[in-house]
């Protein structure tokens, strides 16, 4: 292995999930929570699409570019984010005929409570925090997705800091 870190957790996992908590907590937070919330929201979205004035409803999930471009020391995180990507696309196919649009946002390095001061800061590969994306950047992307006309669905947007290579 060449490292004292267990390979299933990785050194770059978000704060509070690597080491003692193990990969199960990350799967709970990054995947199971998305599945549960989507399941809970779907009946309401289907009803809104059918009965609402817009004639369409939106479900937006947030993943990470790590779901598309995995890196070493980030295996479990990348796997959970890849699963969110797959789930979102499959769900999109299932509900698009019922006027529910499913969108996926894949942010790059973003300043959150999990990145500042946590072990995830090492995943920035030298990117200074002042160039990271901010929550309002991601909110703007989501607002763009859900305000498109009913005949148009923006299914995926990857957004990175300008200086982020991967």
């Amino acid at each position: 292995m060449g490292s004292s870190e267990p390979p299933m957790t990785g050194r770059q996992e978000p704060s509070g999930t690597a080491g003692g908590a193990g990969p199960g907590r990350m799967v709970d937070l990054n995947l199971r929570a998305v599945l549960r919330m989507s399941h809970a929201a779907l009946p309401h979205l289907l009803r809104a699409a059918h009965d609402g004035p817009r004639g369409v409803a939106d479900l937006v999930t947030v993943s990470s570019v790590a779901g598309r471009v995995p890196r070493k020391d980030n295996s479990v995180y990348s796997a959970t984010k890849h699963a969110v990507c797959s789930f979102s696309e499959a769900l999109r196919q299932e509900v698009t005929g019922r006027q529910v649009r499913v969108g996926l946002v894949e942010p790059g390095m973003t300043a959150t409570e999990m990145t500042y001061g946590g072990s995830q800061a090492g995943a920035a590969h030298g990117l200074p925090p002042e160039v990271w994306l901010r929550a309002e950047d991601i909110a703007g992307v989501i607002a763009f997705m859900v305000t498109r006309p009913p005949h148009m669905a923006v299914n995926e947007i990857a957004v990175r800091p300008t200086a982020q290579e991967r």
Side-chain angles (χ1 to χ4, degrees), residues 25-123:
R25 177 133 170 85
M26 186 170 296
V27 171
D28 287 343
L29 292 173
N30 291 350
L31 179 56
R32 286 193 182 107
V34 171
L35 298 175
R36 288 182 181 129
M37 295 305 292
S38 299
H39 179 76
L42 202 52
H44 305 284
L45 294 171
L46 289 165
R47 191 168 34 259
H50 185 264
D51 299 336
R54 293 178 58 219
V56 69
D58 294 278
L59 174 71
V60 178
T61 57
V62 179
S63 178
S64 169
V65 295
R68 301 272 181 196
V69 185
R71 289 194 294 252
K72 73 176 197 137
D73 299 327
N74 222 3
S75 57
V76 176
Y77 180 79
S78 293
T80 62
K81 296 304 184 174
H82 182 79
V84 170
C85 295
S86 295
F87 167 73
S88 297
E89 174 57 20
L91 182 61
R92 184 198 68 76
Q93 294 174 28
E94 292 170 12
V95 298
T96 193
R98 296 171 73 185
Q99 296 304 106
V100 174
R101 304 183 296 195
V102 178
L104 173 70
V105 179
E106 299 167 293
M109 200 64 209
T110 305
T112 70
E113 66 279 355
M114 292 173 64
T115 53
Y116 274 127
S119 62
Q120 190 68 10

